[in-house]
């Protein structure tokens, strides 16, 4: 077993014995209460204060001598004899100078020589001369180095004496010995200077033996002189006539500092105290004090009960240490009394008297109050501060009274020591403590970060109590425990504050910033507790236990108010508990007691929380149920939330107090109560509104505000009570308010759009007309307004932070539908206005409209004779371009909105919670048919020039217009490529009517065709192509696909995107159509023929009549001729582009140029080959010269649209990937087959057809169809039945944002380039009459392949859907 554990067991055993039996070896050490009167305590305190006055050092004064002193002869003692006290103990480190002393002595010597020394005895010139001689020797490096190493006193004193002797002998006669006395005096001043340096740097405390021996040496050197600095003669002149004498005691209270302290503590006047002193002066003498000490010393030596014994300590080692210290202190105290009154030492021989010398310098005002011995005895670290040269036996002193040796255990009392020193000391300490606490003049300690400004004991009180403890032999540890016991009692009686209790603990731990002397009052709580007495240990433990109980009671009471607006702070209580009580090693706490306290505190807080909630409920909710409103629930919730947040903030740094979380106790009580009450109140409000509200619903805003408040409370509930469900189903109860708001928004969306358009003038948003608009200024305010409305509508729901993902996704889906409806409305109105602006008559057309019928015929005949087609540029309105910018801006904003809403995540949530396929509703209410009007063939010519200006109008069987295409001028084989969406709930008959546009008069009907749209025929959702024969002449190609209109957020966004892109495409096409006439004019076969034939001139006519003569060879057109042929077209483009560039955004500008490029490609393609069909064409094939010209035109047009800057090399036009479209690729590859023989072309077509069939088979295995079959079918039987096309449909889901649309376009181009087909070869073969049979066979083959692929796809989809009906593939809600 270790020593420490053995000691610990011994300590516990002795303490337990002490606490159980109450036994102590000394009456004064017992912890029992003793009845002490106020007067008894006062008298014992007064006599100690009076004794301190008697023993204080006497003041000295200089007075004139009555007669001249006789000449003093030098003592025979040599300097070597004087230094024996140092030389005999050479190896003792306590008599050597400390490190750093030499440098400080050098500074002090420099001050003497410079006249800065404040002591008057160092101002004499002879002194300075002697010190200067020594200073020269002292500053030599060799001597200085030796002194820094050895630090011996004798070396320094001898070298000074040597230099002083040499200096003082100068100028003296050989027989004059007066200098010898001056040498002793100068050496004494030097020794005194050394003592000053030691004392000023506090080195004398560390080396008391050195300081004592220096004092003795100084006294011996001044044996023949009382005061060296009294007259100038003391420094070397003849003896003076002044002497130093001791000032007698006045015995006045005003001169007794500690007596005045006693008077203040006990509330008496100086007169009363003076009277008591006069009364007891004969008894309270130094002799009585000496007798007390001798008696106490005898009791200590005999191990009497009147002193502490070994049984009073934990260990014998502690007792031995205490006893040794007591013996030393007693010797010093007795010595001080004898020094104060030498008459008491008459019976003591001189050889036995200790050599104790006082300092000869002027006494310090503070040090004059107590003898050095008494001052230093209080600090055991300086117990050896006074030097006793010889052993001293105190028993040899005669006190004139009976020695206590004969009877050590009798009841004879002491004079100055009370019967129970601890009890009296405790009583007087309590008096002093309360006096100082009530003293308004006592300055508190300085406030620090850790402790406020407080006051414990004054300096005078601590000096007095220190004197009491010294005289009554109260150990410093006992003083400490008694002070804490007194303070605890005052705290229990509520006479002092908690801050004062904390300050006392800090004071006893040595923390307050007082002077060092104040630390001598008592031991520190941090000292070694194995040295404590049993009584002190038991008292300290009892005090801590009592304080713990009281502080815990205060903590409980304070915590009961923690929910109040301004609760009391528990910080001071917790700080004292944790840092001064619980963390103390002497305090033992039971975990059961702590758990019981925590449980009681938690229950008390819960009860308090319940009371506060009931007060809130009565304050915010009226008694009458019909008066209830959501406002009451909200206010009640705000009060609850505010209280929880306040408590959380209040206990943020320390959430738990003694294992109890106030916030948890609060929220686990009031939040469930609030949730249940709120649920019942809201339910009742809604019931009353439905049954008795007379059609008035609760305002939507009230529901939203209530939801936000409930969500905040639920969040607090979740943080404080994780895992505990919130009792109120908030979302399920308040979801109807969101749906009401959504329905309200849906009903107002069209009005928002109409108002935004109505207030818009569709102009660029510049400050002045001359300012060039930026990209951000090129759209008008209407599109900004509608998207601001959309964002506000969505933000309204987003800001609710709806906590049900499925409901939130459904909200967003409904809002997406509203946004799509608003965009569709905006596109419809804007496009109508745009079409009205673009379809207006030009000035020339307005003039022609005013002409008579005869004038019109004459003008047409004149134009025909002149072979001139007059093409005038179209005058665009800036407002039209702004509308196109708005559509483009709307697409960008919708794409941004789609990302912000996180459409894919909403769709995933709905899909995750969707019921199984077998449980879904099988019927689809709405179907979206997408009809693409592709092209027409062999239309009837309705104009005099043998052509028509066709456009198509789609209508239903009730003659309701569904869609209208743009006008294709002067073309009997037009290609529109325009799409329209038609929503229907069942079968629908669609009638397609082709009209011929006329600038004047009514439009002519070219022909009609009808088609039935039946959802049951499109169950596979595959696109179908229909060649419909017109009732007059020719036919029209329609491509139809169907998609179920789903209640899906991706569907609604995709539909809105497709609406925007179609509107944008239609508006762009309308703009380009105004330029297409001139494109067709410049890139027509007539222009090509004019270029090759140079036109009809007079020479050509004469050559016709001289045709029998040899004809010169026709010269091919040169490169400049070919370039000049396009100059009018480029100029026309540049003029229009300049107008567009002033208003259109860069994106819209590129879009228009891209559309024009497509128009150029279509025009050039029409020059080269006829459209695809199963019939032969009357179009003539170009010759090689014409073909070369066409491809040179194509290259120049390619460079023009790419618009590369010659200086920077930067492309400013259409990007290369757009220019190199699949159609451009088909045209460039046309050159390889254009002049091939018919047989070779047929073989190549067959080879491509075989490759296409193989690829189709591979793709069928992957459940997809090749893109090669995306070309239009050839009509015939397939056109009648509408066989499905295997081209991937442009579904709405693939158009739900700009990213998916770009990706779909890229995939389309990749498929077209990676999967070449034989369409161009078939179009070349149409100009070869001998290929008519092959064209029909190839058409039937493609029909069979398409039908087989479609049938296999239907079967596979049916099997994947469960082998049931084909309609199983329809989307289900």
């Amino acid at each position: 077993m270790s020593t420490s554990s053995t000691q610990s067991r011994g300590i516990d055993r002795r303490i337990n014995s002490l606490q159980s039996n109450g036994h102590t070896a000394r009456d004064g050490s017992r912890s029992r209460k003793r009845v002490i009167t106020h007067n008894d305590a006062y008298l014992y305190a007064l006599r100690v204060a009076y004794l301190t006055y008697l023993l204080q050092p006497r003041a000295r004064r200089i007075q004139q001598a009555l007669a001249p002193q006789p000449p003093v002869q030098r003592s025979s003692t040599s300097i070597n004899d004087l230094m024996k006290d140092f030389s005999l103990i050479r190896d003792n480190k306590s008599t050597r100078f400390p490190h750093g002393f030499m440098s400080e002595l050098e500074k002090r010597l420099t001050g003497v020589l410079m006249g800065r020394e404040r002591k008057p005895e160092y101002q004499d010139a002879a002194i300075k001369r002697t010190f200067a001689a020594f200073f020269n020797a002292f500053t030599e490096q060799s001597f200085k180095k030796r002194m820094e190493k050895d630090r011996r006193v004798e070396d320094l004193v001898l070298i000074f004496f040597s230099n002083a002797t040499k200096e003082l002998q100068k100028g003296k006669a050989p027989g004059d010995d007066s200098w010898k006395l001056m040498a002793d005096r100068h050496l004494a001043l030097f020794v005194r200077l050394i003592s000053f340096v030691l004392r000023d740097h506090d080195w004398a405390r560390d080396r008391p033996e050195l300081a004592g021996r220096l004092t003795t040496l100084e006294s011996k050197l001044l044996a023949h002189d009382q005061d060296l600095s009294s007259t100038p003669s003391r420094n070397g002149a003849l003896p003076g006539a002044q002497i130093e004498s001791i000032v007698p005691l006045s015995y006045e209270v005003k001169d007794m500092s500690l007596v005045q302290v006693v008077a203040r503590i006990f509330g008496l006047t100086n007169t009363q105290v003076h009277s008591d002193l006069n009364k007891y002066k004969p008894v309270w003498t130094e002799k009585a004090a000496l007798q007390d000490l001798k008696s106490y010393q005898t009791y200590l030596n005999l191990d009497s009960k009147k002193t502490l014994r070994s049984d009073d300590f934990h260990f014998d080692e502690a007792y031995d240490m205490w006893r040794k210290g007591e013996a030393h202190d007693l010797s010093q105290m007795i010595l001080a009394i004898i020094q104060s009154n030498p008459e008491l030492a008459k019976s003591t021989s001189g050889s036995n008297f200790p050599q104790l010398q006082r300092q000869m310098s002027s006494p310090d005002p503070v040090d004059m109050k107590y003898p050095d011995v008494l001052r230093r005895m209080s600090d055991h670290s300086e117990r050896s501060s006074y030097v006793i040269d010889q052993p001293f036996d105190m028993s040899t002193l005669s006190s004139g009274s009976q020695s206590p040796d004969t009877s050590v255990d009798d009841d004879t009392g002491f004079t100055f020591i009370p019967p129970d020193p601890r009890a009296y000391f405790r009583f007087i300490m309590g008096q002093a403590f309360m006096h100082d606490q009530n003293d308004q003049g006592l300055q508190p300690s300085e406030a620090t970060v850790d402790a406020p400004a407080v006051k414990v004991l004054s300096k005078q009180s601590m000096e007095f109590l220190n004197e009491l403890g010294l005289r009554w032999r109260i150990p410093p540890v006992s003083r400490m425990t008694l002070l804490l016991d007194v303070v605890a009692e005052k705290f229990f009686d509520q006479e002092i504050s908690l801050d004062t209790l904390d300050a006392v603990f800090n004071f006893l731990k040595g923390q307050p910033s007082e002077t060092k002397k104040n630390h001598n009052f008592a031991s520190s709580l941090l000292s070694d507790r194995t040295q404590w007495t049993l009584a002190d240990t038991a008292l300290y433990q009892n005090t801590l236990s009592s304080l713990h109980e009281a502080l815990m009671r205060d903590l409980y009471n304070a915590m009961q108010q923690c929910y109040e607006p301004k609760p009391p702070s528990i910080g001071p209580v917790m700080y004292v508990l944790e840092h001064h009580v619980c963390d103390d090693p002497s305090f033992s706490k039971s975990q059961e007691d702590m758990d019981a306290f925590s449980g009681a505190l938690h229950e008390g807080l819960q009860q308090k929380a319940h009371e506060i909630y009931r007060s809130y409920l009565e304050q915010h909710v009226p008694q009458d149920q019909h008066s209830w409103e959501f406002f009451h629930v909200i206010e009640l919730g705000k009060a609850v939330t505010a209280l929880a947040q306040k408590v959380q903030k209040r206990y943020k740094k320390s959430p738990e107090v003694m294992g109890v979380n106030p916030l948890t106790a609060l929220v686990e009580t009031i939040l469930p109560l609030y949730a249940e009450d709120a649920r019942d109140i809201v339910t009742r409000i809604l019931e009353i509104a439905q049954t008795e509200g007379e059609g008035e619903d609760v305002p939507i805003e009230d529901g939203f505000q209530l939801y936000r408040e409930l969500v905040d409370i639920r969040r607090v509930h979740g943080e404080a009570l994780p895992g505990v469900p919130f009792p109120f189903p908030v979302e399920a109860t308040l979801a109807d308010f969101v749906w009401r708001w959504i329905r309200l928004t849906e009903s107002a969306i069209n009005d928002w759009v109409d108002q935004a358009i109505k207030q818009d003038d569709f102009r660029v948003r510049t400050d002045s007309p001359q300012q060039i608009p930026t990209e951000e200024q090129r759209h008008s305010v209407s599109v900004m307004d509608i998207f601001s409305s959309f964002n506000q509508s969505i933000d309204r729901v987003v800001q609710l932070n709806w906590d049900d993902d499925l409901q939130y996704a459904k909200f967003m889906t409904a809002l997406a539908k509203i946004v799509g409806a608003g965009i569709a409305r905006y596109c419809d109105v804007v496009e109508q206005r745009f079409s009205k602006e673009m379809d207006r008559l030009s000035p020339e057309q307005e003039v022609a409209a005013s002409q008579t019928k005869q004038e019109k015929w004459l003008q047409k005949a004149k134009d025909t004779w002149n072979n001139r087609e007059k093409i005038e540029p179209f005058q665009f309105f800036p407002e039209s371009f702004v509308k196109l910018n708005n559509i483009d801006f709307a697409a960008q904003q919708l794409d941004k909105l789609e990302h912000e809403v996180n459409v894919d995540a909403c769709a995933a949530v709905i899909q995750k919670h969707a019921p199984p396929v077998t449980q879904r509703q099988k019927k689809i209410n709405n179907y979206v048919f997408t009809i693409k009007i592709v092209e027409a063939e062999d239309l009837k010519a309705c104009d005099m020039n043998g052509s028509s200006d066709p456009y198509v109008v789609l209508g239903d069987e009730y003659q309701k217009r569904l869609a209208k295409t743009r006008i294709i001028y002067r073309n009997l084989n037009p290609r529109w490529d325009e799409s329209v969406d038609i929503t229907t709930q069942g079968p629908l008959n669609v009638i397609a009517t082709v009209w011929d546009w006329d600038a004047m008069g009514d439009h002519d009907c070219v022909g009609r065709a009808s088609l039935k749209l039946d959802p049951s025929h499109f169950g596979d959702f595959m696109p179908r192509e229909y060649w419909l024969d017109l009732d007059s002449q020719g036919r029209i190609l329609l491509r139809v696909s169907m998609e179920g209109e789903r209640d899906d957020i991706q569907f609604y966004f995709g539909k809105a995107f497709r609406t925007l892109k179609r509107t944008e495409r239609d508006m762009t096409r309308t703009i380009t159509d105004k330029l297409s006439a001139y494109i067709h004019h410049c890139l027509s076969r007539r222009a090509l023929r004019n270029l090759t034939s140079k036109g009809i001139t007079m020479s050509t006519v004469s050559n016709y009549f001289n045709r029998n003569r040899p004809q010169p060879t026709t010269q091919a057109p040169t490169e400049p001729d070919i370039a000049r042929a396009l100059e009018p077209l480029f100029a026309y483009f540049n003029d229009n582009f300049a107008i567009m560039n002033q208003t259109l955004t860069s994106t819209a500008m590129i879009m228009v140029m891209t559309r024009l490029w497509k128009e150029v490609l279509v025009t050039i393609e029409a020059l080269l080959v006829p459209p695809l069909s199963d019939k032969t064409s009357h179009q003539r094939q170009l010759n090689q010269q014409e073909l070369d010209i066409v491809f040179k035109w194509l290259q120049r047009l390619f460079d023009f649209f790419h618009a590369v800057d010659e200086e920077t090399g930067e492309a400013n036009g259409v990007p290369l990937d757009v220019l190199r479209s699949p159609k451009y690729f088909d045209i460039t590859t046309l050159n390889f087959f254009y002049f091939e023989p018919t047989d070779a072309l047929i073989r190549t077509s067959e080879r491509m057809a075989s490759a296409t069939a193989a690829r189709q088979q591979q793709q069928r295995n992957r459940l997809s169809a090749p893109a090669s079959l995306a070309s239009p079918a050839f009509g015939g039987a397939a056109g009648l039945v509408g066989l499905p096309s295997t081209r991937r449909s442009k579904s709405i889901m693939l158009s739900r944002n700009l990213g998916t649309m770009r990706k779909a376009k890229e995939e389309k181009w990749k498929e077209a380039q990676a999967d070449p087909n034989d369409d161009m070869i078939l179009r070349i073969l149409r100009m070869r009459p001998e290929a008519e049979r092959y064209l029909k066979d190839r058409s039937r083959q493609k029909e069979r392949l398409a039908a087989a692929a479609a049938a296999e796809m239907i079967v596979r989809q049916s099997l994947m859907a469960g082998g049931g009906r084909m309609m199983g593939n329809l989307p289900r809600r």
Side-chain angles (χ1 to χ4, degrees), residues 757-769:
I757 296 175
K758 183 178 180 181
Q759 298 175 10
D760 192 5
D761 56 1
F762 293 97
R763 296 183 182 274
V764 292
R765 294 174 292 108
T766 56
D767 297 333
S768 62

Side-chain angles (χ1 to χ4, degrees), residues 224-236:
H224 304 288
D225 201 336
Q226 294 297 323
D227 190 356
L228 190 62
S229 63
S230 59
T231 63
S233 64
R234 302 305 180 189
N235 295 324

